[in-house]
């Protein structure tokens, strides 16, 4: 009898787990993967993919309005139908989930659609069938899960980002609890779908961890879009009124009535009940699996990638970590993921694109910085009449001239930053930006035409 049933057992068929499984199988490993929900994970099923489709839908509202300035006349006022959008997105999610399954099957990965728990350094049990698998290596890729933290009395009357895509009807009033990117993305898109949105956040400003100039400008843009911001405020409790209305009682100020309360106060590593502690795996205070640069836990045969490690909680990072693990463990290439410079976006409207250090982070790291910035009205808005601004900021090391960070607020910010991220990752200097010929007319040309640093 062989010592192990498989070379690799993966728990979680999201982006990181499926990538690791397919690459490992491509190197000749015998691989099995278990998923208790739908194949595809958070990003595909209930995260960035359906969210971005919802964002696209929300932006048509302003496109219809802007068209008039360019000579277009619509025969009648546009009408939005929530079930059409909801069901179209659900169909696309189902299609993508099927592609993930097909990719695993094509790589000859064995799929088990049930919960798996760890019973030892080399042993996994499937809870539904009772099947016990002996694995040479175990990879945990179970991602994160919405966390109602701190707990709210009556919190069960709210929903998380998991359920928001499947609402039976478009609410007239939405209360969003939280000030992070998930909360603000949903607040922004629902406001543009015609919902009266209130954001309640215990902090004095939104988007903690982002550049301060970006945070302030986005806050003002959301308010200008009609979103009510209640900052520096917490919820004491949520109650349900006789007509089904959710009433949120706040620590101070008037209560807030809403048809739906979306609690988006954060996510935690999805490790509860996996048997990790019993197997000897060292965990962090949030339940994250502590790993080294090679994604190895304190137990040599157990690894972890993606949000479950609480390193950089982004889908492309999980994919690269899974790929690096599989190449290093089963292939001939030993490599790790550099988490230092990773581009990211926030798909509010206006959206944010950012890569590298914020101004505050650069100063805290000991850099003497020069800041170059530009704020302007986009070309499209000069005809549409929309009161819209784009803001761009470069954080530069004054001694080496190296560009430490790029931060953009405005249309297509995410698309622009993806390309700029290449330059920042390569260590480009401000002089490199300056000698790049501008592409005109474009918003992105501002990045290579800033000449005078900000005073002070």
């Amino acid at each position: 009898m062989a010592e192990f049933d498989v070379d690799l057992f993966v728990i979680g068929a999201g982006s990181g787990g499926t990538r690791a499984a397919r690459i490992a199988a491509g190197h000749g490993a015998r691989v099995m993967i278990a998923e208790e929900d739908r194949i595809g994970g958070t990003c595909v099923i209930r995260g960035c993919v359906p969210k971005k489709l919802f964002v696209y839908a929300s932006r048509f509202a302003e496109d219809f309005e802007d068209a008039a300035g360019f000579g277009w006349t619509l025969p009648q006022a546009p009408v939005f139908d929530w079930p059409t959008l909801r069901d179209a997105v659900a169909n696309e999610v189902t299609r993508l989930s099927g592609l993930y399954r097909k990719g695993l099957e094509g790589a000859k990965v064995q799929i088990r659609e049930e919960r798996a728990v760890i019973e030892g350094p080399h042993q996994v049990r499937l809870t539904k069938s009772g099947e016990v698998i002996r694995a040479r290596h175990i990879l945990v890729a179970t991602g994160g899960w919405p966390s109602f933290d701190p707990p709210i009395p009556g919190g069960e009357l709210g929903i998380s980002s998991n359920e928001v895509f499947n609402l039976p009807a478009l609410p007239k009033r939405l209360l969003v609890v939280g000030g992070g990117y998930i909360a603000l993305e949903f607040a922004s898109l629902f406001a543009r779908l015609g919902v009266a949105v209130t954001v309640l956040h215990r902090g004095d400003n939104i988007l903690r961890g982002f550049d301060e100039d970006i945070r302030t400008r986005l806050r003002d843009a959301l308010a200008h879009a009609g979103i009510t911001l209640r900052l520096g405020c917490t919820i004491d409790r949520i109650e349900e009124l006789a007509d089904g209305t959710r009433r949120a009682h706040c620590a101070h100020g008037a209560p807030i009535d809403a048809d739906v309360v979306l609690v988006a106060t954060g996510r935690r590593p999805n490790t509860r009940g996996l048997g990790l502690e019993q197997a000897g795996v060292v965990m962090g205070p949030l339940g994250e699996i502590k790993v080294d640069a090679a994604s190895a836990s304190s137990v040599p045969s157990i690894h972890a990638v993606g949000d479950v490690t609480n390193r950089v909680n982004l889908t492309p990072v999980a994919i690269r970590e899974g790929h690096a693990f599989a190449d290093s463990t089963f292939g001939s290439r030993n490599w790790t993921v550099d988490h230092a410079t990773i581009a990211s976006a926030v798909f509010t409207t206006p959206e944010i694109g950012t890569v590298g250090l914020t101004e505050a982070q650069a100063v805290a790291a000991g850099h003497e910085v020069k800041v170059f910035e530009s704020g302007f009205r986009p070309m499209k808005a000069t005809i549409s009449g929309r009161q819209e601004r784009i803001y761009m900021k470069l954080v530069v090391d004054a001694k080496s001239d190296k560009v430490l960070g790029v931060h953009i607020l405005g249309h297509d910010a995410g698309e622009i930053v993806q390309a700029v991220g290449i330059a920042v990752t390569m260590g480009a200097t401000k002089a490199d930006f300056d000698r790049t010929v501008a592409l005109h007319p474009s918003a992105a040309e501002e990045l290579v035409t800033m000449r005078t640093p900000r005073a002070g």
Side-chain angles (χ1 to χ4, degrees):
M1 180 182 291
E3 183 181 0
F4 299 107
D5 301 309
V6 296
D7 299 306
L8 173 64
F9 191 101
V10 182
I11 305 177
S15 297
T18 55
R19 174 60 66 91
R22 290 193 297 106
I23 297 301
H27 288 307
R30 298 167 299 158
V31 182
M32 183 178 290
I33 191 168
E35 174 58 60
E36 63 178 308
D37 200 340
R38 299 172 68 185
I39 293 173
T42 294
C43 181
V44 171
I45 305 301
R46 65 191 74 85
C48 36
V49 169
K51 172 201 67 185
K52 186 70 178 291
L53 293 172
F54 273 47
V55 169
Y56 283 138
S58 72
R59 290 177 178 171
F60 278 104
E62 292 183 352
D63 289 341
F64 290 134
E65 294 175 357
D66 292 350
F70 289 87
W72 288 92
T73 301
L74 298 177
Q76 59 186 23
V79 177
F80 173 69
D81 184 64
W82 169 260
T84 298
L85 172 64
R86 180 197 61 204
D87 297 347
V89 171
N91 290 338
E92 175 61 9
V93 165
T94 297
R95 185 187 72 87
L96 293 174
S97 179
L99 291 178
Y100 269 65
R101 176 189 297 275
K102 187 176 295 185
L104 291 169
E105 292 173 343
K108 302 297 188 292
V109 174
Q110 300 179 63
I111 302 172
R112 296 291 186 270
E113 295 185 66
E114 55 182 300
R115 182 174 178 81
V117 296
I118 296 172
E119 294 193 329
H122 296 281
Q123 186 162 299
V124 175
R125 177 174 56 84
L126 299 171
T127 60
K128 184 177 179 180
S129 65
E131 184 179 7
V132 175
I133 310 297
R134 295 166 298 162
R136 187 182 304 276
H137 295 277
I138 298 170
L139 176 68
V140 181
T142 48
W145 200 255
S147 170
F148 287 23
D149 186 28
I152 302 170
E156 69 279 359
L157 296 172
I159 65 170
S160 74
S161 57
N162 285 357
E163 297 83 41
V164 72
F165 299 108
N166 303 308
L167 293 173
L170 186 68
K172 293 181 179 179
R173 301 163 299 175
L174 174 68
L175 170 61
V176 179
V177 183
Y181 72 91
I182 294 175
L184 299 178
E185 286 172 340
F186 282 114
S188 180
L189 75 86
F190 274 104
R192 281 169 173 77
L193 294 178
V195 178
V197 177
T198 299
V199 172
L200 189 148
H201 177 48
R202 61 185 175 183
D204 59 1
N205 201 357
I206 58 175
L207 281 185
R208 181 171 60 88
F210 284 75
D211 190 87
E212 199 66 28
D213 287 309
I214 295 291
R215 298 174 72 193
T216 300
R217 285 167 171 80
L218 178 62
R219 181 194 64 203
D220 294 344
L222 294 177
H224 181 75
I227 296 172
T228 300
L229 299 172
R230 294 272 295 268
L231 303 179
C233 189
T234 57
I235 289 183
D236 286 337
R237 62 187 175 92
I238 302 172
E239 66 170 327
E240 183 176 8
L241 304 184
D243 63 354
T245 295
R246 270 57 173 160
R247 174 167 291 174
H249 295 270
C250 306
H252 58 268
I256 303 169
D257 288 351
D259 303 302
V260 173
V261 177
L262 171 61
V263 181
T265 51
R267 295 174 64 86
R268 292 290 179 93
N270 187 21
T271 55
R272 184 176 298 176
L274 288 181
L276 290 159
E277 296 91 342
Q278 293 86 338
V281 175
V282 173
M283 314 286 283
L286 298 179
E288 74 273 23
I289 300 174
K290 306 295 288 185
V291 294
D292 61 17
S295 296
S297 77
S298 57
V299 178
S301 59
I302 300 177
H303 287 66
V305 298
D307 292 10
V308 78
T309 67
N310 201 36
R311 287 180 285 184
V312 178
N313 298 334
L314 295 169
T315 296
V317 176
I319 291 172
R320 289 183 69 84
E321 289 172 354
H323 199 139
F325 159 75
D327 274 350
S328 301
T329 306
F330 301 103
S332 57
R333 181 186 174 202
N334 195 348
W335 62 286
T336 58
V337 177
D338 182 2
H339 295 90
T341 306
I342 298 171
S344 64
V346 180
F347 292 107
T348 47
T349 303
E351 73 184 40
I352 294 170
T354 181
V355 62
L357 300 179
T358 67
E359 182 180 353
Q361 288 170 341
V363 171
H367 295 280
E368 179 186 343
V369 301
K370 289 183 179 180
V371 174
F372 297 80
E373 60 183 353
S374 178
F376 55 96
R377 195 177 184 190
M379 188 175 186
K380 181 181 177 182
T382 62
I383 297 295
S384 71
R386 184 167 301 282
Q387 298 303 307
E388 178 184 351
R389 303 284 295 178
I390 294 178
Y391 175 75
M392 297 183 177
K393 178 176 182 177
L394 302 181
V395 180
V396 179
D397 183 270
K399 295 180 180 178
S400 68
D401 198 42
K402 182 178 179 180
V403 177
L404 302 174
V406 178
H407 309 278
I408 304 173
L409 176 71
H411 184 67
D412 278 342
E415 302 289 343
I416 296 170
V417 159
Q418 174 63 88
V420 176
I422 300 171
V424 176
T425 300
M426 293 177 68
T429 63
K430 181 63 168 62
D432 292 324
F433 276 58
D434 291 345
R435 66 188 178 90
T436 301
V437 178
L439 190 158
H440 181 76
S442 69
E445 69 180 293
E446 292 289 328
L447 291 171
V448 300
T449 58
M450 301 181 201
R451 294 291 183 265
T452 304
R454 184 178 67 193

